Amino acid sequence: MSAVITKFAVTSMVMWMAPVAIMYGFIYQIFPGVGQLSPSAQTMASGFLAVISVNLVIGFYIYMAMKETPHQEPQPDPTFLANAKASINQPTSSQVSDDSHGKGKVE
């Protein structure tokens, strides 16, 4: 269970850090060639890449979740199973009353 929580925490952090890093890189012109773009083009490119990065992180998280194999088959709760079997075998009140009305009749 802790592995699932760890994967979720790491993915959540990357999902927040990747777009912020992309925006930071565009604002402070860390990426080569960004200084040649107009301010509106820088904003559009940084926003577009930030959205793409979040979608890639989500896709990677889904891929990892689908690739993970379950450790064991899920088992039903034994108490629930016992109560369900008992309720199936127990006659209902309408069945009991129908049987009692039918015994006195002779055709």
Side-chain angles (χ1 to χ4, degrees):
M1 186 65 162
S2 66
V4 173
I5 293 171
T6 303
K7 283 181 188 177
F8 179 74
V10 168
T11 305
S12 297
M13 286 189 302
V14 171
M15 197 174 352
W16 280 97
M17 291 177 358
V20 170
I22 289 171
M23 298 294 281
Y24 181 85
F26 270 85
I27 290 171
Y28 293 104
Q29 300 177 357
I30 295 174
F31 301 124
V34 172
Q36 297 171 354
L37 297 174
S38 68
S40 62
Q42 285 181 2
T43 303
M44 291 289 289
S46 65
F48 181 73
L49 289 175
V51 169
I52 294 296
S53 71
V54 170
N55 286 317
L56 288 174
V57 171
I58 292 171
F60 182 71
Y61 181 74
I62 291 171
Y63 171 75
M64 293 300 291
M66 297 300 282
K67 194 175 86 168
E68 188 174 283
T69 58
H71 297 290
Q72 62 182 9
E73 281 292 319
Q75 299 295 324
D77 182 31
T79 307
F80 174 78
L81 197 56
N83 290 340
K85 285 181 181 178
S87 71
I88 290 173
N89 295 333
Q90 182 180 12
T92 62
S93 60
S94 63
Q95 289 176 342
V96 173
S97 65
D98 289 344
D99 291 341
S100 65
H101 293 297
K103 289 182 180 178
K105 292 183 179 180
V106 176
E107 291 184 18

